[in-house]
Amino acid sequence: MNGMAVGSGSAPPTGRPTRLPRSARRKQLLAAAQEVFVAQGYHAAAMDDIAERAGVSKPVLYQHFPGKLELYLALLDTHCDAIVAQVRSAMVGTSDNKERVKGAVQAYFDFVDHESEAFRLVFESDLRNEPAVRERVERVEKGCIAAITDTIISDTGVSRAHAELLASGLVGAAETAAQFWLAAGRKVPKADAEALLATLTWRGIASFPLQGESA
């Protein structure tokens, strides 16, 4: 463990630079923490393991994060914000509602496919009963539902309560299907999986007329 002192701030004998800008160091620590949390789970992971994975001393790690929970929550915040932003982008990126549905589904599958570690960290956490963790997971669902709800209301004119229920169905289907697809080993090609779920969802939502049209 003596080698962990490398990266603590003073220049090591190797001459490797250790003083990174704070934002770059934080990003490095979060990446190392994600690897450890996904591999070991929150409860089994130790700050020593994370510091070693990042190549820094524990004091450097504690300069940025006062404890393991704060580090874990910072990771969740990063990924939770990212998936909500992807769904919002799908809603505002086109006025074609069929493409919006496809985009919302694709946001979840992209997250699972390209950020499978992050997906497991958010949706398969062994810390789901921790209030701060549960709040963040719920914030993802609420943020995605809100983005889709606003689009449904503006396009169909249904009540907010009805639109929220429809949006929750779409979000729930996308999340569950993406999670199943990952757990099953990606047996169905990603493009096919997205198309299947988008078609299923669209056939239901398309039955609601646009504003100004009769049912």
Side-chain angles (χ1 to χ4, degrees):
M1 291 292 182
N2 291 335
M4 287 171 56
V6 174
S8 62
S10 58
T14 60
R16 187 178 69 182
T18 60
R19 290 191 178 277
L20 295 175
R22 185 171 182 82
S23 61
R25 176 68 78 193
R26 180 182 173 86
K27 185 176 181 180
Q28 175 200 26
L29 296 175
L30 288 173
Q34 178 168 305
E35 293 178 4
V36 173
F37 283 136
V38 170
Q40 301 181 19
Y42 175 84
H43 294 292
M47 293 293 270
D48 283 315
D49 299 328
I50 296 168
E52 184 174 10
R53 183 68 61 91
V56 303
S57 65
K58 274 179 67 176
V60 168
L61 182 57
Y62 280 112
Q63 285 174 12
H64 292 264
F65 302 100
K68 185 168 72 168
L69 180 59
E70 288 78 10
L71 179 52
Y72 192 82
L73 294 178
L75 263 176
L76 288 186
D77 283 334
T78 298
H79 296 308
C80 290
D81 291 345
I83 192 168
V84 172
Q86 281 184 278
V87 172
R88 288 192 180 279
S89 177
M91 294 300 102
V92 302
T94 178
S95 59
D96 184 323
N97 287 330
K98 187 174 183 179
E99 288 301 311
R100 282 170 169 163
V101 169
K102 181 180 177 182
V105 170
Q106 188 174 10
Y108 276 91
F109 276 87
D110 281 348
F111 189 55
V112 166
D113 191 39
H114 303 306
E115 302 287 347
S116 58
E117 286 189 353
F119 186 88
R120 291 187 172 100
L121 194 74
V122 175
F123 294 106
E124 300 177 3
S125 170
D126 60 347
L127 201 64
R128 288 287 290 266
N129 290 330
E130 164 65 39
V133 173
R134 187 169 61 249
E135 183 275 329
R136 282 159 173 80
V137 175
E138 290 174 352
R139 176 154 51 90
V140 171
E141 295 172 348
K142 290 178 180 177
C144 293
I145 288 171
I148 297 171
T149 293
D150 291 340
T151 301
I152 291 175
I153 289 175
S154 65
D155 285 344
T156 67
V158 300
S159 69
R160 175 162 292 276
H162 285 75
E164 285 177 340
L165 189 58
L166 289 169
S168 70
L170 173 55
V171 167
E175 178 186 323
T176 300
Q179 190 169 6
F180 178 84
W181 178 76
L182 177 65
R186 299 179 171 94
K187 293 178 181 177
V188 178
K190 177 172 173 282
D192 292 348
E194 292 171 353
L196 283 169
L197 190 62
T199 299
L200 172 67
T201 307
W202 173 246
R203 285 179 177 173
I205 291 180
S207 65
F208 291 88
L210 296 176
Q211 288 206 67
E213 294 182 357
S214 58

